[in-house]
Amino acid sequence: MAPWRSSWVWPLSRIYPIHLPREMRTRRALIICNIEFEHLSLRKGAEADVEGMTELLEGLGYVVDIHCNLTSQGMALVMKDFANRKEHCTSDSTFLVFMSHGVRAGLCGIESRDETTDILSLDTIYETFNNKNCRALLGKPKVVIIQSCRGGKVGSVWMSDSKDPAVPTPIEADSTPAGLEDDAMFEVHLESDFATLHSSTPDTASWRHPKKGSVFIQRLIEQFRNHACNSDLQEIFRKIQYSFERFPRQLPSQERSTMLRKFYLFPGH
C-alpha cells in the first residue's frame, strides 16, 4: 500500500511575505555581546559566538551591526538607534542577538555587580521594537536570540521512570466585541511578530566552552545552516531545542513569541 500523503498546502496568507528580490532587500541584524565586565567574570569564548553568529547572519542575507561591552544604558541606546534605521523600510525582517551574563530579570551591563545593578530589562527590547516605536518593522518578523544565564540553578533533575500524567490547562475562548466601526484609522497589536529563543529556561544557567563558545550558539548555528533552506523559523527553533534532549543541564526556551504567520528565510525552496 502506498504511504498516505496530504495534498494540503499551507496558505500563502499564513506565511510572512518577502516582497523584494534579494538584491533589493536591506536586511539588517544587531548583535550585542558583553565579554569584559568590571566586576563579573570574563566570558571566555564569547568571541567565537560573535564570529559564528556574524557569519551565519551574513549568509542569511543580513548586514550585521556588532556592539560589544556596553552598560545597560548603552545597550538601550544602541537598540534605539538600530530601530530607527531607514533600511528596515525595505527589509522583511530582523535578527536581534544578545549575549551577556544574565539574571532572571534581564541582561547584565558591564558595570553590573548583582541582580539589581546595571541590568537591561528584557521588556526594553520589546518596547524598543514594538509596533508603536518601530513602525518600519510593523508586520515583519523580529527574531530575538538571547544567550545568557537566567539564574544559577542547574536545569536538570533526577527522575524515576514513572511520573504523574500532565494535567491539561483549559483554554478560554476568544471574545470579540461586537458593533465596533473604524473611523479612518486602524488598530494594530502593540507587540506582534516577535519570535524569541532563550538559551535556557528561567532561573537556570547556560553553558559556554572557553574556546568554542556557548553550547546554545553552536547548536543554533548548526541547525540554521542545515534547515534554513527548507524549514520555517519556529520549526528550526524546535530542532534547536531537540538537539539538547541528551544535554539535561540546559534547555532552550521559546518565550514571548507573537508570530502570526510562518517565517521562511528562503521562501520558494
Side-chain angles (χ1 to χ4, degrees):
M1 180 181 294
W4 179 85
R5 292 184 180 180
S6 172
S7 60
W8 187 85
V9 177
W10 194 267
L12 289 177
S13 62
R14 298 187 185 179
I15 297 174
Y16 282 99
I18 297 179
H19 298 296
L20 296 173
R22 180 164 184 160
E23 60 271 14
M24 296 179 65
R25 282 183 233 143
T26 54
R27 283 180 170 177
R28 295 200 78 95
L30 174 66
I31 294 177
I32 293 178
C33 182
N34 288 339
I35 303 173
E36 299 178 1
F37 297 78
E38 293 185 12
H39 309 286
L40 305 177
S41 61
L42 178 71
R43 295 184 63 246
K44 296 179 181 179
E47 297 90 346
D49 291 339
V50 174
E51 182 179 349
M53 284 302 303
T54 301
E55 183 178 345
L56 173 69
L57 292 170
E58 288 178 346
L60 295 174
Y62 294 86
V63 175
V64 184
D65 292 2
I66 303 170
H67 299 269
C68 296
N69 300 329
L70 302 173
T71 63
S72 58
Q73 184 178 11
M75 289 189 278
L77 290 173
V78 162
M79 285 193 296
K80 186 175 181 180
D81 289 343
F82 184 77
N84 290 329
R85 293 196 73 103
K86 64 181 185 302
E87 290 92 339
H88 295 314
C89 294
T90 45
S91 177
D92 51 65
S93 57
T94 191
F95 272 72
L96 309 167
V97 182
F98 302 89
M99 300 182 283
S100 184
H101 285 308
V103 296
R104 178 66 183 266
L107 298 161
C108 295
I110 59 171
E111 296 178 359
S112 179
R113 292 176 177 269
D114 52 39
E115 294 190 1
T116 60
T117 58
D118 198 21
I119 302 297
L120 177 76
S121 168
L122 298 181
D123 286 340
T124 304
I125 300 172
Y126 299 97
E127 290 169 2
T128 303
F129 293 96
N130 68 20
N131 293 328
K132 177 182 178 181
N133 296 319
C134 187
R135 299 286 184 89
L137 288 172
L138 173 65
K140 302 174 183 180
K142 295 164 277 284
V143 184
V144 182
I145 304 296
I146 300 176
Q147 162 59 44
S148 73
C149 288
R150 307 176 71 187
K153 296 181 180 179
V154 175
S156 59
V157 61
W158 290 103
M159 297 287 291
S160 65
D161 287 340
S162 62
K163 62 178 181 178
D164 293 332
V167 179
T169 303
I171 300 175
E172 296 183 0
D174 291 339
S175 57
T176 304
L180 297 180
E181 297 180 357
D182 68 79
D183 189 19
M185 294 184 68
F186 66 96
E187 195 172 20
V188 299
H189 297 286
L190 176 62
E191 181 179 307
S192 66
D193 310 299
F194 283 96
T196 304
L197 189 63
H198 288 266
S199 59
S200 61
T201 50
D203 297 316
T204 62
S206 294
W207 297 85
R208 173 173 31 83
H209 189 278
K211 292 183 179 179
K212 297 179 181 179
S214 306
V215 177
F216 169 67
I217 295 298
Q218 291 176 56
R219 297 190 181 187
L220 181 148
I221 291 171
E222 179 184 11
Q223 295 302 322
F224 267 91
R225 284 178 174 166
N226 290 339
H227 301 290
C229 62
N230 55 22
S231 297
D232 73 277
L233 178 75
Q234 289 181 305
E235 178 61 24
I236 298 172
F237 278 5
R238 283 190 289 272
K239 291 178 186 296
I240 295 167
Q241 291 175 294
Y242 183 73
S243 74
F244 281 80
E245 183 183 31
R246 299 187 181 277
F247 188 72
R249 288 177 171 266
Q250 180 179 344
L251 180 63
S253 174
Q254 296 190 54
E255 298 176 26
R256 201 160 173 168
S257 292
T258 53
M259 298 285 278
L260 301 176
R261 298 173 175 83
K262 288 192 173 186
F263 176 41
Y264 288 90
L265 285 150
F266 298 104
H269 286 256

